[in-house]
């Protein structure tokens, strides 16, 4: 029972964190459009590293 509660809490934190990151990235892209390439590149590198090395973020 506690495992399900912990998993639900972890998923909620991950969704909140990804939402905050997406919001900040969107605001930065609107403010400085040249940042789009940099933000997308960093995002893809981080996601790639997480999946290749099976990391938990």
């Amino acid at each position: 029972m506690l495992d399900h509660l912990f998993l639900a809490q972890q998923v909620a934190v991950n969704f909140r964190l990804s939402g905050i990151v997406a919001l900040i990235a969107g605001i930065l892209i609107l403010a400085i459009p040249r940042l789009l390439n940099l933000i997308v590149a960093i995002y893809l590198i981080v996601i790639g590293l997480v999946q290749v090395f099976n990391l938990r973020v």
Side-chain angles (χ1 to χ4, degrees), residues 15-34:
F15 279 134
R16 269 187 266 145
L17 182 62
S18 65
I20 291 170
V21 169
L23 184 62
I24 291 171
I27 291 170
L28 286 174
I29 290 168
L30 282 175
I32 308 167
R34 284 183 268 159

Side-chain angles (χ1 to χ4, degrees), residues 1-49:
M1 179 70 176
L2 291 176
D3 291 338
H4 295 294
L5 181 61
F6 178 72
L7 182 61
Q9 185 178 15
Q10 185 178 8
V11 169
V13 169
N14 285 342
F15 279 134
R16 269 187 266 145
L17 182 62
S18 65
I20 291 170
V21 169
L23 184 62
I24 291 171
I27 291 170
L28 286 174
I29 290 168
L30 282 175
I32 308 167
R34 284 183 268 159
L35 280 179
L36 178 60
N37 291 339
L38 182 64
I39 291 171
V40 171
I42 291 171
Y43 173 77
L44 291 173
I45 290 169
V46 169
I47 295 300
L49 289 173

